[in-house]
Amino acid sequence: MNPITIRVDVGDGYDVIIGEGPLSRLGELLSERTPVCKSALITDQAVGELFAMQVDTSLARAGFVVTPMAVPPGETSKTWQMAGDILETLAKYGLGREDLMIALGGGVVGDLAGFVASVYMRGISFVQVPTTLLAMVDSSVGGKTAVDLSAGKNLAGSFKQPLVVVADISTLTSLPDEEWRSGLAEVAKSAVIDGEEFTGWLEAHAKQLLAREAEVVAEAVRRCVEFKARIVAGDEREEGPRECLNYGHTLGHAIEKVAGYGEIAHGLAVAEGMRFEARVAMDVGEADAAFVKRQDRLLDALGMPPLGLHMHSNEVLSAMRGDKKARGGAIRMVLPGAPGQWQCSEVVDEVIDAHLEAWSSTKEGDQR
Ligand SMILES: NC(=O)c1ccc[n+]([C@@H]2O[C@H](COP(=O)([O-])OP(=O)(O)OC[C@H]3O[C@@H](n4cnc5c(N)ncnc54)[C@H](O)[C@@H]3O)[C@@H](O)[C@H]2O)c1
């Protein structure tokens, strides 16, 4: 498979390199883009065991001096406190303004390290090396970084575009099944928001994606990165069309908060949110029953049946109100009409309440 390079035209612009094997050339790829320097390699303990040695060797061969740091795996590491600990460690190691931060891992490590890189010495260069499908297709591109606060997800954050993104799809073979499906949810979100062509392609290739066929996986990553690059190039700071990337996230983030961070994989919560928000759109927006059914079938085919969660609607509603998408306490949702058509609107509590009642009585695997 030949590596693919996609240019993201935001800020100074940067490349996303997608292929099988670029991890072992990381040092070389970085030295083409930045002078050799000190670098902090932030990873999680599980990812570090799998890939840190390979990355370290490649960076050292190119002359980079590497300080590795590993946080516990999972969403519970995406905290203000963890960011503070890393900042203190960077200062102790004497990392300077001209030095580099490398995030090796999933969206948690990418969001956390990106946030730290954006504030350390008012910002140092930052490289994304995503190792989950979710991070390759979504979180490593576009420059959003954040940590969670107890009041809600991603409530402290910044925009920090990376110097380069290096996505080695051969790292994905060790990804647990649940994390694989979590990534497929963001692929489905991108396809439905992008339009008919991507949605049709995904429907036709769902089986191969579930089986992790390398060529099809690379194609899915390419499509998602091109889609996201196009959206963020037109709206870096989410002042307009970038809002569409939040499809499924109003309920998704609320579910993650109510269940307790780390209890439900992010993408699976988003898939649940897509089902929910499509139904709200059928009620107060432009969606019809055929669209809702088609999206249900797509999510089923990608291994994401309804979760059958039983949560109190008040708790979910209040989590939605605390979401940063809410404005003046009014809840906003991305409401799809058809593949490629969407609007972002306020939805009144009575409508959400009625849908939450129906949703919380859904059993696992049920379609309403
Ligand atoms: N910044 C953005 O634009 C953006 C977009 C979407 C999601 N996110 C954020 O991303 C986070 C979710 O990211 P995620 O799903 O990658 O979770 P994650 O980073 O927690 O990774 C999931 C799990 O997979 C393990 N893992 C990672 N790579 C592996 C590999 N190659 N082999 C085996 N195990 C591996 C990790 O150790 C972890 O336990 C959430 O916090 C979400 O808010 C951010």
Side-chain angles (χ1 to χ4, degrees):
M1 179 190 302
N2 289 328
I4 304 162
T5 301
I6 298 166
R7 189 79 185 159
V8 184
D9 281 318
V10 175
D12 297 336
Y14 54 95
D15 291 336
V16 179
I17 299 163
I18 303 161
E20 265 184 307
L23 209 62
S24 56
R25 291 199 306 118
L26 187 66
E28 190 190 319
L29 292 168
L30 295 192
S31 61
E32 288 164 7
R33 290 165 172 85
T34 181
V36 164
C37 57
K38 280 199 252 180
S39 65
L41 177 66
I42 315 278
T43 187
D44 76 35
Q45 286 146 357
V47 174
E49 273 183 29
L50 292 167
F51 309 116
M53 179 96 88
Q54 188 185 355
V55 167
D56 205 1
T57 307
S58 168
L59 290 169
R61 208 170 40 231
F64 290 91
V65 177
V66 185
T67 300
M69 271 176 248
V71 301
E75 187 72 26
T76 47
S77 281
K78 226 178 90 173
T79 62
W80 186 249
Q81 291 76 8
M82 188 64 81
D85 289 350
I86 297 174
L87 285 166
E88 292 288 355
T89 311
L90 298 183
K92 203 168 75 194
Y93 284 136
L95 221 72
R97 271 197 164 158
E98 66 293 348
D99 291 327
L100 191 63
M101 161 91 69
I102 302 169
L104 170 71
V108 163
V109 164
D111 279 9
L112 173 69
F115 178 63
V116 170
S118 75
V119 293
Y120 184 67
M121 297 198 168
R122 298 207 178 85
I124 60 171
S125 291
F126 166 57
V127 171
Q128 288 268 21
V129 186
T131 64
T132 63
L133 180 61
L134 183 141
M136 289 185 193
V137 299
D138 194 351
S139 62
S140 63
V141 178
K144 269 194 189 177
T145 81
V147 293
D148 304 330
L149 302 182
S150 45
K153 234 181 109 81
N154 298 335
L155 288 186
S158 60
F159 286 92
K160 172 76 183 168
Q161 301 296 339
L163 181 70
V164 62
V165 180
V166 180
D168 186 337
I169 64 161
S170 57
T171 60
L172 297 176
T173 50
S174 50
L175 202 62
D177 183 54
E178 186 178 79
E179 301 303 339
W180 185 257
R181 290 184 293 115
S182 176
L184 289 179
E186 297 280 15
V187 178
K189 176 203 79 178
S190 303
V192 170
I193 294 297
D194 190 32
E196 186 55 48
E197 201 275 330
F198 192 175
T199 304
W201 179 86
L202 187 56
E203 287 168 332
H205 293 86
K207 257 195 188 150
Q208 284 121 303
L209 277 173
L210 264 182
R212 308 189 192 194
E213 286 182 19
E215 296 283 346
V216 182
V217 171
E219 173 66 9
V221 175
R222 179 188 72 75
R223 282 172 176 267
C224 289
V225 170
E226 281 181 353
F227 161 71
K228 189 156 182 188
R230 213 166 43 244
I231 299 284
V232 300
D235 179 19
E236 183 187 358
R237 303 243 153 188
E238 200 173 300
E239 285 152 352
R242 188 170 178 169
E243 276 193 314
C244 69
L245 301 176
N246 294 324
Y247 180 37
H249 286 62
T250 303
L251 181 71
H253 280 172
I255 290 177
E256 286 186 86
K257 176 161 189 247
V258 174
Y261 292 127
E263 291 301 314
I264 297 177
H266 175 73
L268 300 186
V270 168
E272 194 76 358
M274 288 169 65
R275 289 177 189 271
F276 183 86
E277 289 166 30
R279 284 168 167 77
V280 173
M282 196 162 73
D283 193 0
V284 296
E286 305 286 321
D288 62 15
F291 168 76
V292 173
K293 203 164 181 189
R294 182 178 178 193
Q295 183 183 266
D296 281 350
R297 274 203 303 265
L298 176 62
L299 295 171
D300 288 348
L302 291 169
M304 284 168 284
L307 296 177
L309 299 171
H310 298 286
M311 291 178 169
H312 287 296
S313 31
N314 303 353
E315 269 188 90
V316 179
L317 201 60
S318 106
M320 283 181 178
R321 237 182 247 113
D323 196 84
K324 64 184 169 356
K325 289 181 288 303
R327 294 197 188 149
I331 294 166
R332 288 172 66 77
M333 276 182 191
V334 176
L335 300 178
Q341 290 168 28
W342 59 273
Q343 53 178 330
C344 192
S345 313
E346 283 180 10
V347 183
V348 296
D349 285 6
E350 296 72 41
V351 170
I352 297 177
D353 231 357
H355 282 272
L356 282 175
E357 285 301 329
W359 169 73
S360 59
S361 56
T362 310
K363 292 193 205 58
E364 199 173 339
D366 264 7
Q367 305 287 356
R368 289 194 278 121

